[in-house]
Amino acid sequence: MDIATRVWDHKWKIDPIVRSLIDTDFYKLLMCQSIFRNKPDTTVVFSLINRSTRVRLADLIDEGELREQLDHVRSLSLSRGESTWLRGNTFYGKRQMFRPDFMEWFEGLRLPAYHLEKRDGQFELSFEGAWPEVMLWEIPALAVLTELRSRAALNTLGRFELQVLYARAMTRLWEKIERLRRIDGLRIADFGTRRRHGFLWQDWCVQAMQEGLGAKFTGTSNCRIAMRRDIEAIGTNAHELPMVYSALANSDEELRQAPYRVLADWHEEHDGNLRIMLPDTYGTEGFLKNAPDWLAGWTGIRIDSGDAAKGAETAIRWWKDRGEDPRTKLVIFSDGLDVEKIEELYARFTGRVKVSFGWGTMLTNDFRGLVHDDALAPFSLVCKALSANGRPTVKLSDNPAKAMGPKAEIDRYKRVFGVGIQEAQEVVV
């Protein structure tokens, strides 16, 4: 596929940005099924948050084109082939991962309405409604905004400039792959859907990883690409679950137990499968210190904020204190990764735990320095649940720069979860 020509043809709108309801991360569908079962009547509000305020999206992207793309997403429904793949495929060694009642609901779904305004050079984009429906806007909304931003920068380039740009980006990625293939025992997956340069580019990156890394490449978080390329769909759960469960808590004690209630429901939903903890929503150290004993038997942990090495060392100590052998446990690193950090973390922890990586933005959107004014450099855009049943949500993270929520609620959550002084780190993506 000649990506440069397809990008040139975007000027005539040949390619919609989101092509399918399963052009999303696998964990969103897994969480959606759990929410559909346990919290179907919860009303949530999701909203776009641009942490990189220097990127003035409303000055770059035409509002009419944005609405056109969002309206197209609302027109999508599952195709027969997509439904068959979800119903009949084996995921993580389990057939029929998705229950018939959930699939029947999903097959009839159209995403709910959105609310869009422009303010101070940014778009205020939000979604309100039943949690199982609204949550599925997160990834398409991010994909639309990030690709429209990419297209805005690319619209200034000629045909040959585009060809040279993509040749340079392909060379950059292949050089990274050549470094990674030298790591014996590497296990790495594509986690780059939410901040990708574009769908076509993510698909190319996945194919490059397949060819360049072979069995070391374990799959992709993107369901549509996993189906098209016949590879594993990768994912478990995210911060969204404890954020909403916690907002629904009626007392400090219920709040303190909410993150564990999430995992108890998850355990029941998946019959003991997909047992990966994501402990940093309200601080990893406090989460592990107060965790029930049964969580020590889970498969592993995903580290998604703060100092990744410190987080892994904390988990190793916790497993040892609970009588578990860390060498049997899986640690998935997924925050701000690029080749140098992957090499460093693998060298430090291989043999001590089972090491795996979810490689995101710097796999699917590393165009740094390749165009004038660095107009394609990745930036930090998120779409988060802001409230549940009218109550504000809070995320603390292991990096205070990623904290979100009203200040009074942040202070309360820090008190309830015993979060002390944290070291702030720059949020790049």
Side-chain angles (χ1 to χ4, degrees), residues 187-304:
R187 292 177 57 81
I188 189 167
D190 159 41
F191 277 18
T193 298
R194 61 179 49 246
R195 297 192 192 99
R196 67 193 182 193
H197 170 76
F199 174 82
L200 297 176
W201 180 248
Q202 183 184 11
D203 190 37
W204 188 91
C205 292
V206 166
Q207 293 176 74
M209 294 281 278
Q210 283 183 278
E211 180 176 318
L213 295 179
K216 294 176 180 178
F217 179 58
T218 58
T220 175
S221 65
N222 187 284
C223 296
R224 179 173 170 82
I225 294 175
M227 185 182 78
R228 290 183 69 195
R229 302 301 169 193
D230 193 25
I231 55 179
E232 292 290 331
I234 304 293
T236 53
N237 55 66
H239 303 104
E240 175 184 341
L241 289 176
M243 287 173 65
V244 173
Y245 271 59
S246 296
L248 298 175
N250 292 313
S251 66
D252 284 357
E253 182 55 31
E254 284 189 16
L255 173 59
R256 192 174 292 110
Q257 294 303 317
Y260 311 118
R261 180 69 258 170
V262 167
L263 298 183
D265 285 349
W266 187 261
H267 187 88
E268 181 180 354
E269 175 71 29
H270 294 290
D271 301 321
N273 203 354
L274 300 174
R275 299 188 303 170
I276 302 294
M277 295 176 285
L278 180 61
D280 68 319
T281 310
Y282 305 119
T284 295
E285 290 198 15
F287 175 94
L288 295 177
K289 178 181 178 181
N290 298 305
D293 290 339
W294 53 267
L295 272 177
W298 274 35
T299 303
I301 192 170
R302 181 160 73 92
I303 297 177
D304 195 54

Side-chain angles (χ1 to χ4, degrees), residues 154-219:
L154 296 171
N155 277 340
T156 64
L157 304 184
R159 185 185 298 270
F160 288 100
E161 286 181 294
L162 286 170
Q163 290 176 342
V164 172
L165 170 69
Y166 281 101
R168 288 172 173 167
M170 289 174 178
T171 300
R172 174 177 289 178
L173 176 57
W174 194 254
E175 289 173 348
K176 293 183 182 185
I177 290 172
E178 288 180 323
R179 286 177 62 175
L180 292 175
R181 67 167 33 144
R182 295 195 290 265
I183 303 177
D184 292 333
L186 177 69
R187 292 177 57 81
I188 189 167
D190 159 41
F191 277 18
T193 298
R194 61 179 49 246
R195 297 192 192 99
R196 67 193 182 193
H197 170 76
F199 174 82
L200 297 176
W201 180 248
Q202 183 184 11
D203 190 37
W204 188 91
C205 292
V206 166
Q207 293 176 74
M209 294 281 278
Q210 283 183 278
E211 180 176 318
L213 295 179
K216 294 176 180 178
F217 179 58
T218 58

Side-chain angles (χ1 to χ4, degrees), residues 110-161:
R110 300 292 191 282
L111 292 190
Y114 60 87
H115 179 75
L116 178 66
E117 294 184 22
K118 291 172 67 173
R119 181 167 294 144
D120 298 329
Q122 301 294 344
F123 286 112
E124 293 187 354
L125 177 61
S126 60
F127 316 90
E128 181 174 3
W131 191 9
E133 297 178 5
V134 172
M135 68 173 295
L136 292 177
W137 260 118
E138 177 185 356
I139 305 302
L142 292 173
V144 166
L145 266 297
T146 52
E147 186 160 347
L148 282 178
R149 185 259 192 164
S150 296
R151 291 184 183 188
L154 296 171
N155 277 340
T156 64
L157 304 184
R159 185 185 298 270
F160 288 100
E161 286 181 294

Side-chain angles (χ1 to χ4, degrees), residues 43 58 62 90 94 128 174 207 211 246-247 322 340 371-372 379 402 411:
T43 298
D62 178 73
T90 298
K94 180 181 178 180
E128 181 174 3
W174 194 254
Q207 293 176 74
E211 180 176 318
S246 296
R322 298 296 180 101
E340 294 80 5
V371 296
H372 179 66
F379 66 109
K402 286 187 173 183
D411 292 343

